Amino acid sequence: MIPEIGHFALVLGLFVALVQSVVPLVGAQRGNLAMMEVARPASVALFLTIGVAFVALTHSFLVSDFSVSNVYMNSHTDKPLLYKITGVWGNHEGSLLLWILILAVFSLAVAVFGRNLPPMLRARALAVQAMITVGFLLFILFTSNPFERIDPAPLNGRGLNPLLQDPGLAFHPPMLYMGYVGFSMAFSFAIAALIEGRVDAAWARWVRPWTLLAWIFLTLGIALGSWWAYYELGWGGWWYWDPVENASFIPWLSGTALLHSAIVVEKRDTLKSWTILLAIITFSLSLLGTFLVRSGVLTSVHAFATDPTRGVFILLLLAVAVVGSLSLYAWRAPQLKGGGVFAPVSREGTLLLNNVLLSTAAATVLLGTLYPLFADALNLGKVSVGPPFFNAVFVPLMIPMIVVMALGPMLAWKRGDALGAAKRLWLALVAAAAVFAATYVVAGGAWTDVGAAFGMGLGAWLLVATGVEWAERVQLFRTSPANSLKRAVGLPRAAYGMSLAHAGTALLVMGIVGNTAWKAESIQVMAPGDVVEIGGHSYLFEGAETVDGPNYAASRGHFILRDEDGTALARLDPEKRQYTSPPQTTTEAAIHSDGITDYYAVIGDPSPDQGPGAYVTRFYHEPFVPLLWYGALLMGLGGVVSLTDRRHRVGAPTRARARGAAASAGGAVAPTGASARV
């Protein structure tokens, strides 16, 4: 009965979404306030209906109702409670329902917290958001029903993919979807602005919090997925330019560009048309990522569906969204008035260059990801585009961007002094040179170490420059400590958020460069008592034992990690697990970290022909990997701090409304300009 309630709630949600997508839009066109206000209760009703459906599916997983096909295919009675819950979104149908729920959550958030938005803009944005929801509800109801029944009901289920039975994967998909779907709100605001024919500083101030929120979740979601791949798959890597990894990274790049472009619109009332286009492209790339994951055109541990019918439906949805929005943009964008001019050397100029580099990087990664698919579809043969291509084209684009990230905040708006900014960054330049020289000498002084030393110096340049920029803001050492403290307390939180995000980027760069350059690997067969040395440390193999888990059996190895002096640092117990439902083998790495370097051990298959108790083992020396996680967390924290800035919460400029005329006209309302309230 409960699955039927969930299914009925989805159908009811479809009709609510249809009302929300039509009535407020017509009301905005006619200037009818009553019709525009329908968007708010409709958003609440839509959230409730989708919420009921999601709770119904979760209940089916919790009670192991195997009469529901989705539960039968992705759950088992032996599965721990956490993975019964995460099984709800660990499959195509459930993850799609989660996607729709998040769409409804964002719509509800705008309806509840967007009271200071102009009624016309709010009504149109919520209507566009509802149109997106209609498309996905049609998709789930006609091709991916999560409540489909099986008769007779099986006694037990097939179980969840063991690779997904991990705490990291329990939270990775929801965070990633919050990022993907969050950009739908920026898209909805962009389409609403195009319909209204108005983009100004107020619009940018309204759209920035939603873009920033989506960026935070996507940043942390990608980092969490990378962390999961690092410790769960047992290959010692954290990024492989997998097509499905790229599917999340591409909208992150364009979303980062959108975030910076919106700043220019807000501060200088320029780059309006470009910002609207970025909002459209970013969400379109999120939809493209959905198509890649769910169409069956890619084979990946991350991919869900392989049904061609679903792929065609998503492709149609993608085509309608992209073609429709770009057609509207082509029609209305020329009517958007341009803003103030600015010199190439200025804060706006560096942000524009940032946009160009990020957009080019996104296009490059997109091309590398899609080219093999096009080649295969056109019978041009099987083509593989892997890390060598992406590293060769992506890295050169990021170098100038990092240089500009340090210079940009030091420049004035409209017209800046590049030489003056460079002079104020002398400490950052000295730090970069010192790190370059020290790294080069410690690494051995070979020509092959020049690139790595340069990368570490580049990270130091950005890190120190970020600190210098903050010191300049508070006039550190240029005025009294009390005055500097007062200025520091008075700085906008958005300024602190920018500093944290840029510092996180610097750590991320240093982590990537250091690990790529100096990672070491050792693969061998070991018998109990054998010792292997790698990275200045040794691993003593004490043997292995068989252990039983909740729904698996495992071979657990025991290693003692020692430093150069022979002092025991840690006991490492990696596992090789064999799951029964469904039958699959997974690797659980054991990792010891000192905060800068990870020591990584993996146990493989037994090798009895090499002696009793012998096993294949792998060890990885992973320098600077922790900097990746520090950097990603710092970037996310920077976004959160910036989001708490009062200007993002209650300080958006409001447009004056002809309330008296609206009341006398029976609820009609028309915007008459922008007020000066901040």
Side-chain angles (χ1 to χ4, degrees):
M1 180 64 182
I2 289 181
E4 280 69 34
I5 293 176
H7 192 197
F8 176 76
L10 283 180
V11 175
L12 184 60
L14 174 63
F15 286 101
V16 172
L18 285 169
V19 171
Q20 183 181 334
S21 63
V22 174
V23 175
L25 205 59
V26 174
Q29 186 65 29
R30 295 179 177 178
N32 188 312
L33 183 60
M35 295 181 70
M36 288 189 279
E37 285 299 313
V38 168
R40 295 174 64 186
S43 296
V44 176
L46 181 60
F47 168 75
L48 291 176
T49 55
I50 305 303
V52 167
F54 191 81
V55 169
L57 184 61
T58 303
H59 176 270
S60 299
F61 272 86
L62 289 176
V63 301
S64 297
D65 183 358
F66 297 120
S67 68
V68 178
S69 176
N70 192 24
V71 180
Y72 164 71
M73 295 294 294
N74 299 284
S75 191
H76 192 277
T77 53
D78 292 339
K79 211 166 55 166
L81 178 62
L82 174 63
Y83 303 129
K84 285 186 178 181
I85 297 173
T86 58
V88 175
W89 55 77
N91 58 86
H92 169 73
E93 292 83 1
S95 65
L96 190 59
L97 181 57
L98 176 62
W99 179 290
I100 297 171
L101 177 65
I102 296 173
L103 272 173
V105 167
F106 273 93
S107 182
L108 177 68
V110 171
V112 172
F113 299 110
R115 296 179 183 272
N116 63 334
L117 290 168
M120 284 188 175
L121 180 65
R122 182 179 62 223
R124 287 179 171 128
L126 290 176
V128 174
Q129 190 76 358
M131 291 178 187
I132 299 170
T133 308
V134 167
F136 278 94
L137 281 170
L138 290 173
F139 180 31
I140 197 171
L141 287 170
F142 286 100
T143 71
S144 309
N145 181 11
F147 299 105
E148 184 177 345
R149 291 282 198 172
I150 300 177
D151 187 24
L155 295 177
N156 216 326
R158 298 178 60 180
L160 180 67
N161 184 342
L163 287 175
L164 304 181
Q165 296 185 38
D166 181 88
L169 259 291
F171 302 101
H172 167 60
M175 295 187 75
L176 209 59
Y177 293 169
M178 286 291 287
Y180 272 149
V181 181
F183 286 125
S184 70
M185 208 64 252
F187 173 84
S188 296
F189 274 111
I191 298 302
L194 285 176
I195 295 174
E196 187 172 326
R198 181 185 182 119
V199 177
D200 54 16
W203 175 87
R205 182 75 65 84
W206 288 313
V207 81
R208 271 185 66 195
W210 305 105
T211 305
L212 183 57
L213 184 63
W215 182 87
I216 292 168
F217 278 111
L218 192 56
T219 299
L220 296 178
I222 292 173
L224 189 58
S226 180
W227 180 61
W228 166 80
Y230 174 66
Y231 74 78
E232 174 67 21
L233 300 183
W235 61 296
W238 38 267
W239 191 262
Y240 194 68
W241 296 105
D242 178 277
V244 181
E245 290 175 338
N246 295 348
S248 62
F249 187 50
I250 296 168
W252 183 89
L253 290 169
S254 62
T256 305
L258 169 62
L259 194 59
H260 289 81
S261 181
I263 296 174
V264 181
V265 178
E266 178 187 343
K267 299 292 186 182
R268 294 285 300 141
D269 198 31
T270 189
L271 298 186
K272 299 176 183 180
S273 180
W274 171 247
T275 303
I276 291 288
L277 180 61
L278 276 178
I280 293 172
I281 289 175
T282 299
F283 182 60
S284 298
L285 290 172
S286 296
L287 291 178
L288 178 62
T290 304
F291 168 72
L292 292 176
V293 174
R294 301 172 191 282
S295 63
V297 299
L298 294 178
T299 301
S300 168
V301 67
H302 307 80
F304 284 121
T306 57
D307 184 355
T309 303
R310 294 170 174 173
V312 171
F313 198 107
I314 300 179
L315 190 60
L316 179 62
L317 183 63
L318 176 64
V320 170
V322 174
V323 174
S325 58
L326 290 180
S327 298
L328 179 62
Y329 174 80
W331 174 40
R332 300 304 296 266
Q335 302 173 26
L336 299 178
K337 294 181 180 179
V341 296
F342 56 88
V345 179
S346 61
R347 183 81 64 90
E348 300 97 318
T350 58
L351 289 171
L352 179 58
L353 180 58
N354 160 291
N355 268 229
V356 171
L357 292 171
L358 285 170
S359 300
T360 304
T364 300
V365 177
L366 179 64
L367 176 63
T369 304
L370 296 183
Y371 180 74
L373 303 180
F374 289 141
D376 187 32
L378 297 174
N379 294 320
L380 300 178
K382 296 288 184 180
V383 178
S384 177
V385 177
F389 166 80
F390 291 107
N391 292 334
V393 298
F394 186 79
V395 173
L397 291 171
M398 292 300 101
I399 292 174
M401 193 191 77
I402 293 168
V403 173
V404 171
M405 283 177 67
L407 283 171
M410 306 296 291
L411 296 173
W413 293 102
K414 194 172 181 179
R415 183 180 299 276
D417 180 6
L419 183 59
K423 287 180 178 178
R424 297 201 301 276
L425 290 175
W426 66 268
L427 183 60
L429 188 60
V430 170
V435 170
F436 171 84
T439 303
Y440 182 68
V441 171
V442 172
W447 279 107
T448 54
D449 297 319
V450 172
F454 175 79
M456 298 298 284
L458 195 63
W461 154 263
L462 178 57
L463 185 62
V464 176
T466 300
V468 170
E469 191 270 339
W470 176 84
E472 287 273 334
R473 281 177 176 265
V474 302
Q475 295 186 356
L476 191 65
F477 306 127
R478 294 166 53 193
T479 186
S480 66
N483 191 38
S484 291
L485 179 60
K486 182 179 179 180
R487 293 178 67 89
V489 172
L491 277 182
R493 293 181 185 176
Y496 280 104
M498 180 196 72
S499 297
L500 289 171
H502 284 193
T505 304
L507 292 180
L508 190 69
V509 168
M510 298 175 79
I512 292 172
V513 171
N515 183 253
T516 303
W518 299 298
K519 174 179 178 176
E521 174 185 5
S522 177
I523 304 176
Q524 59 283 306
V525 176
M526 298 178 71
D530 289 349
V531 177
V532 170
E533 293 188 4
I534 178 176
H537 290 67
S538 63
Y539 296 81
L540 168 65
F541 183 41
E542 292 185 323
E545 62 176 329
T546 300
V547 297
D548 292 324
N551 57 341
Y552 62 83
S555 297
R556 179 181 295 167
H558 301 294
F559 299 88
I560 301 297
L561 174 68
R562 292 193 173 100
D563 63 13
E564 295 176 349
D565 300 328
T567 303
L569 297 177
R571 178 186 180 91
L572 301 177
D573 301 315
E575 295 181 358
K576 183 75 173 286
R577 294 179 179 177
Q578 180 63 51
Y579 286 82
T580 54
S581 301
Q584 187 169 333
T585 302
T586 67
T587 300
E588 301 292 324
I591 304 172
H592 172 72
S593 179
D594 61 13
I596 298 296
T597 299
D598 283 356
Y599 305 93
Y600 189 114
V602 176
I603 188 167
D605 295 324
S607 186
D609 56 323
Q610 300 295 320
Y615 280 80
V616 176
T617 61
R618 299 199 307 276
F619 303 112
Y620 297 93
H621 180 68
E622 301 276 7
F624 298 105
V625 160
L627 296 186
L628 299 173
W629 321 132
Y630 303 154
L633 288 174
L634 207 55
M635 291 168 70
L637 178 61
V640 172
V641 170
S642 182
L643 195 60
T644 63
D645 193 305
R646 182 178 181 274
R647 294 173 300 176
H648 290 324
R649 292 181 285 120
V650 297
T654 57
R655 300 176 191 170
R657 302 173 182 86
R659 300 183 183 274
S664 63
V669 61
T672 59
S675 74
R677 185 176 71 83
V678 176

Short mmCIF file of all heavy atoms in Angstrom, two decimals, residues 505-536:
data_model
loop_
_atom_site.label_atom_id
_atom_site.label_comp_id
_atom_site.label_asym_id
_atom_site.label_seq_id
_atom_site.Cartn_x
_atom_site.Cartn_y
_atom_site.Cartn_z
N THR A 505 42.60 26.53 -2.83
CA THR A 505 43.07 26.23 -4.18
C THR A 505 44.58 26.07 -4.21
O THR A 505 45.12 25.18 -4.88
CB THR A 505 42.65 27.34 -5.15
OG1 THR A 505 41.23 27.52 -5.10
CG2 THR A 505 43.06 27.02 -6.58
N ALA A 506 45.30 26.92 -3.46
CA ALA A 506 46.75 26.82 -3.40
C ALA A 506 47.19 25.49 -2.82
O ALA A 506 48.10 24.83 -3.34
CB ALA A 506 47.31 27.98 -2.56
N LEU A 507 46.55 25.06 -1.73
CA LEU A 507 46.88 23.75 -1.13
C LEU A 507 46.56 22.62 -2.10
O LEU A 507 47.31 21.64 -2.20
CB LEU A 507 46.12 23.57 0.18
CG LEU A 507 46.50 24.49 1.34
CD1 LEU A 507 45.64 24.18 2.56
CD2 LEU A 507 47.98 24.34 1.69
N LEU A 508 45.45 22.76 -2.80
CA LEU A 508 45.06 21.74 -3.78
C LEU A 508 46.11 21.61 -4.87
O LEU A 508 46.50 20.50 -5.26
CB LEU A 508 43.71 22.10 -4.37
CG LEU A 508 43.01 21.04 -5.23
CD1 LEU A 508 42.56 19.88 -4.38
CD2 LEU A 508 41.80 21.66 -5.94
N VAL A 509 46.60 22.73 -5.37
CA VAL A 509 47.63 22.73 -6.40
C VAL A 509 48.89 22.03 -5.90
O VAL A 509 49.48 21.18 -6.58
CB VAL A 509 47.94 24.17 -6.85
CG1 VAL A 509 49.20 24.21 -7.71
CG2 VAL A 509 46.77 24.76 -7.62
N MET A 510 49.32 22.37 -4.68
CA MET A 510 50.53 21.78 -4.13
C MET A 510 50.35 20.28 -3.89
O MET A 510 51.27 19.49 -4.11
CB MET A 510 50.92 22.49 -2.84
CG MET A 510 51.24 23.97 -3.05
SD MET A 510 51.57 24.88 -1.52
CE MET A 510 53.27 24.37 -1.22
N GLY A 511 49.16 19.88 -3.47
CA GLY A 511 48.90 18.46 -3.27
C GLY A 511 48.94 17.68 -4.57
O GLY A 511 49.53 16.60 -4.66
N ILE A 512 48.31 18.23 -5.63
CA ILE A 512 48.30 17.57 -6.93
C ILE A 512 49.71 17.44 -7.49
O ILE A 512 50.13 16.36 -7.93
CB ILE A 512 47.40 18.34 -7.91
CG1 ILE A 512 45.93 18.23 -7.48
CG2 ILE A 512 47.57 17.83 -9.34
CD1 ILE A 512 44.99 19.12 -8.27
N VAL A 513 50.46 18.54 -7.46
CA VAL A 513 51.81 18.55 -8.02
C VAL A 513 52.71 17.60 -7.25
O VAL A 513 53.42 16.76 -7.83
CB VAL A 513 52.38 19.98 -8.02
CG1 VAL A 513 53.86 19.95 -8.40
CG2 VAL A 513 51.61 20.86 -8.98
N GLY A 514 52.70 17.71 -5.92
CA GLY A 514 53.60 16.90 -5.11
C GLY A 514 53.31 15.42 -5.24
O GLY A 514 54.24 14.60 -5.36
N ASN A 515 52.04 15.04 -5.22
CA ASN A 515 51.72 13.62 -5.32
C ASN A 515 52.01 13.05 -6.70
O ASN A 515 52.52 11.94 -6.84
CB ASN A 515 50.24 13.40 -4.96
CG ASN A 515 49.86 11.94 -4.97
OD1 ASN A 515 49.16 11.47 -5.86
ND2 ASN A 515 50.33 11.21 -3.97
N THR A 516 51.69 13.83 -7.74
CA THR A 516 51.96 13.38 -9.11
C THR A 516 53.45 13.17 -9.35
O THR A 516 53.86 12.22 -10.02
CB THR A 516 51.40 14.39 -10.12
OG1 THR A 516 49.99 14.56 -9.90
CG2 THR A 516 51.61 13.90 -11.55
N ALA A 517 54.27 14.05 -8.78
CA ALA A 517 55.71 14.00 -9.05
C ALA A 517 56.44 12.93 -8.25
O ALA A 517 57.37 12.30 -8.76
CB ALA A 517 56.32 15.37 -8.76
N TRP A 518 56.04 12.70 -7.01
CA TRP A 518 56.87 11.87 -6.12
C TRP A 518 56.16 10.66 -5.54
O TRP A 518 56.65 10.05 -4.59
CB TRP A 518 57.43 12.75 -5.01
CG TRP A 518 58.29 13.85 -5.56
CD1 TRP A 518 59.43 13.71 -6.28
CD2 TRP A 518 58.04 15.25 -5.49
NE1 TRP A 518 59.93 14.93 -6.65
CE2 TRP A 518 59.10 15.91 -6.17
CE3 TRP A 518 57.06 16.05 -4.90
CZ2 TRP A 518 59.18 17.29 -6.29
CZ3 TRP A 518 57.13 17.43 -5.01
CH2 TRP A 518 58.18 18.03 -5.70
N LYS A 519 55.04 10.30 -6.11
CA LYS A 519 54.38 9.07 -5.67
C LYS A 519 55.21 7.86 -6.04
O LYS A 519 55.85 7.82 -7.10
CB LYS A 519 53.00 8.98 -6.34
CG LYS A 519 52.26 7.69 -6.08
CD LYS A 519 50.90 7.72 -6.77
CE LYS A 519 50.15 6.42 -6.58
NZ LYS A 519 48.80 6.48 -7.16
N ALA A 520 55.25 6.85 -5.16
CA ALA A 520 56.00 5.61 -5.43
C ALA A 520 55.10 4.41 -5.18
O ALA A 520 54.18 4.46 -4.34
CB ALA A 520 57.24 5.54 -4.54
N GLU A 521 55.35 3.31 -5.91
CA GLU A 521 54.51 2.12 -5.85
C GLU A 521 55.38 0.88 -5.82
O GLU A 521 56.44 0.82 -6.46
CB GLU A 521 53.58 2.10 -7.07
CG GLU A 521 52.74 0.85 -7.21
CD GLU A 521 51.94 0.83 -8.50
OE1 GLU A 521 52.10 1.76 -9.33
OE2 GLU A 521 51.17 -0.12 -8.71
N SER A 522 54.93 -0.12 -5.08
CA SER A 522 55.66 -1.39 -5.01
C SER A 522 54.65 -2.53 -4.99
O SER A 522 53.75 -2.56 -4.15
CB SER A 522 56.54 -1.43 -3.75
OG SER A 522 57.19 -2.67 -3.64
N ILE A 523 54.78 -3.48 -5.93
CA ILE A 523 53.89 -4.64 -6.02
C ILE A 523 54.74 -5.89 -5.93
O ILE A 523 55.73 -6.03 -6.67
CB ILE A 523 53.09 -4.64 -7.33
CG1 ILE A 523 52.30 -3.34 -7.46
CG2 ILE A 523 52.15 -5.83 -7.39
CD1 ILE A 523 51.55 -3.21 -8.79
N GLN A 524 54.37 -6.84 -5.07
CA GLN A 524 55.16 -8.04 -4.87
C GLN A 524 54.33 -9.10 -4.14
O GLN A 524 53.23 -8.83 -3.67
CB GLN A 524 56.42 -7.74 -4.04
CG GLN A 524 56.14 -7.16 -2.65
CD GLN A 524 55.79 -5.71 -2.69
OE1 GLN A 524 56.52 -4.91 -3.26
NE2 GLN A 524 54.65 -5.35 -2.11
N VAL A 525 54.89 -10.33 -4.08
CA VAL A 525 54.32 -11.41 -3.28
C VAL A 525 55.12 -11.48 -1.98
O VAL A 525 56.35 -11.49 -2.00
CB VAL A 525 54.38 -12.75 -4.03
CG1 VAL A 525 53.89 -13.87 -3.13
CG2 VAL A 525 53.56 -12.70 -5.31
N MET A 526 54.40 -11.53 -0.85
CA MET A 526 55.06 -11.57 0.45
C MET A 526 54.55 -12.74 1.28
O MET A 526 53.36 -13.05 1.27
CB MET A 526 54.81 -10.26 1.23
CG MET A 526 55.34 -9.01 0.57
SD MET A 526 54.96 -7.51 1.51
CE MET A 526 56.05 -7.72 2.93
N ALA A 527 55.47 -13.38 1.96
CA ALA A 527 55.14 -14.40 2.94
C ALA A 527 55.29 -13.79 4.33
O ALA A 527 55.97 -12.77 4.50
CB ALA A 527 56.06 -15.60 2.79
N PRO A 528 54.65 -14.38 5.36
CA PRO A 528 54.79 -13.83 6.71
C PRO A 528 56.26 -13.68 7.10
O PRO A 528 57.07 -14.58 6.91
CB PRO A 528 54.08 -14.87 7.58
CG PRO A 528 53.06 -15.47 6.68
CD PRO A 528 53.70 -15.52 5.32
N GLY A 529 56.60 -12.49 7.62
CA GLY A 529 57.97 -12.20 8.01
C GLY A 529 58.74 -11.40 6.98
O GLY A 529 59.80 -10.83 7.30
N ASP A 530 58.22 -11.30 5.74
CA ASP A 530 58.91 -10.52 4.71
C ASP A 530 58.77 -9.03 4.98
O ASP A 530 57.79 -8.57 5.57
CB ASP A 530 58.34 -10.84 3.33
CG ASP A 530 58.72 -12.22 2.84
OD1 ASP A 530 59.60 -12.83 3.49
OD2 ASP A 530 58.15 -12.69 1.84
N VAL A 531 59.77 -8.28 4.50
CA VAL A 531 59.81 -6.84 4.69
C VAL A 531 60.03 -6.17 3.33
O VAL A 531 60.86 -6.62 2.54
CB VAL A 531 60.91 -6.41 5.67
CG1 VAL A 531 60.98 -4.88 5.78
CG2 VAL A 531 60.68 -7.02 7.04
N VAL A 532 59.29 -5.11 3.06
CA VAL A 532 59.44 -4.32 1.83
C VAL A 532 59.68 -2.88 2.22
O VAL A 532 59.00 -2.33 3.10
CB VAL A 532 58.17 -4.42 0.94
CG1 VAL A 532 58.24 -3.42 -0.20
CG2 VAL A 532 58.04 -5.83 0.39
N GLU A 533 60.66 -2.25 1.55
CA GLU A 533 60.96 -0.84 1.80
C GLU A 533 60.50 0.02 0.62
O GLU A 533 60.73 -0.34 -0.53
CB GLU A 533 62.46 -0.64 2.03
CG GLU A 533 62.98 -1.29 3.31
CD GLU A 533 64.41 -0.91 3.60
OE1 GLU A 533 64.97 -0.08 2.85
OE2 GLU A 533 64.98 -1.43 4.57
N ILE A 534 59.86 1.14 0.96
CA ILE A 534 59.41 2.08 -0.07
C ILE A 534 59.24 3.44 0.57
O ILE A 534 58.73 3.56 1.69
CB ILE A 534 58.07 1.61 -0.71
CG1 ILE A 534 57.60 2.63 -1.76
CG2 ILE A 534 57.02 1.37 0.33
CD1 ILE A 534 56.34 2.20 -2.50
N GLY A 535 59.72 4.47 -0.10
CA GLY A 535 59.57 5.82 0.39
C GLY A 535 60.25 6.06 1.73
O GLY A 535 59.76 6.89 2.52
N GLY A 536 61.36 5.39 1.99
CA GLY A 536 62.07 5.59 3.25
C GLY A 536 61.41 4.90 4.43
O GLY A 536 61.82 5.13 5.59
#
